[in-house]
Amino acid sequence: MKILYVLNSAKYGGMEYHVGDLVLGMKRKGYSVFVWCPSGEMAEEYKRSGATVTEEIIKKDIDNGYISKLRNFINENEIDIVHAHELKAVTNALKACEGTKAKIITHTHTPISEWQINPLKRFLNTKFYSYVVNKYSDMEVALTESKKKVKIKEGIKEDKLCVIPNGLDTSKLTMSSMQRSDYSKEIKSRHNIPDGAFVFGNLGRITKEKGHDVLVKAFKKFLDTHMFRRDMFYLLIVGGGSLEARVKDLSKQLDIEKNVIVTGRFADEDKIKYFSAFDVFLFPTLAEGFGLVLIESMFLGIPTICSDLEVLKEVAGEHAEFFEVSNSDNLADKMSDVYNKMDHGGNTKADEAKEYVEKTFSLEKFIENYEILYKSVLGDIK
């Protein structure tokens, strides 16, 4: 089987890591794997995993030059499966597959109706996407049952949908307690965080849908209720993005900039180090397709507080604390509850999370499910 992954991003992120896991897993299964994506960090990662990578960027919503090149590539390499990710890549890949023998799997990780964009544009994109998927896609993937329901409401036919949860490569997050301690000290030293300080952490792109405004406002309220130890609490926001400056400005406006650290973009090998420095992980996202970073935190046994989106409740089960989405006061209260419990030696919901993640979101099951999907679409499995 020859598999081609098409995406229009090569930055570090959940969707890009998702493709990376598929590339590595399908190569290990013995399949020929190809990737079309822009140049960037993840393009190099795909190459290291054994994929044949073509570095191309989609310049327009419908890029005829890109479509022509991609169609020729599919025909010349006799591609069996094209697996396209997110709206722009899906649209152009669907067009490129016309007249070829390839079957196409489509996948928007966060349903378009939940995107934090102009309402009219969101409505039009949702209608357009459901139309082209229903007409041309062989199968659309949803990451959870709750996301499948959303996609059905958007207009995608139920028989076009299959549910395959993300998997987690736990080998990248496995470390000894001594390593974890050393990593934590390294990160605190790097960012001038005092030894013994309590660190609330967040990791990911700083974009509108990730709820960083809610996060900073909640941290301000938390500090105001713990004034006597204010200098020993820090909010470490790991990542960069289009709203990085806005987050820093908000911290300054609230007079908590000394306690809020925004790292900007970080090296992939530093991810486990940053996780090691977190005492509590905060995930205030406003919209999410799955929340890979959530199960990473849970696997590491970090007490986790996240917004009460249906998808996150489905993914985390009983192993995280939830607050009302976009409600900074409620998040601050949860932060105080978890901190007080930890400060007095109490158990948190994180205690059994590692075993839950290993059992529920194994990378082996993730790869196996996609192999079954690809074969079924090709007619190899009835």
Side-chain angles (χ1 to χ4, degrees), residues 275-301:
F275 268 125
S276 298
F278 296 165
D279 292 294
V280 173
F281 180 71
L282 305 176
F283 194 42
T285 183
L286 307 177
E288 202 67 39
F290 180 84
L292 185 61
V293 70
L294 172 61
I295 60 172
E296 289 175 332
S297 171
M298 290 164 55
F299 173 77
L300 289 168

Side-chain angles (χ1 to χ4, degrees), residues 112-144:
I112 297 171
S113 61
E114 297 179 347
W115 291 6
Q116 302 296 301
I117 59 175
N118 176 277
L120 177 59
K121 186 176 181 180
R122 182 172 60 229
F123 173 79
L124 293 174
N125 283 342
T126 299
K127 292 300 181 184
F128 173 75
Y129 190 82
S130 61
Y131 170 77
V132 296
V133 165
N134 287 333
K135 190 171 179 64
Y136 299 109
S137 175
D138 290 290
M139 192 64 68
E140 166 79 8
V141 177
L143 292 171
T144 64

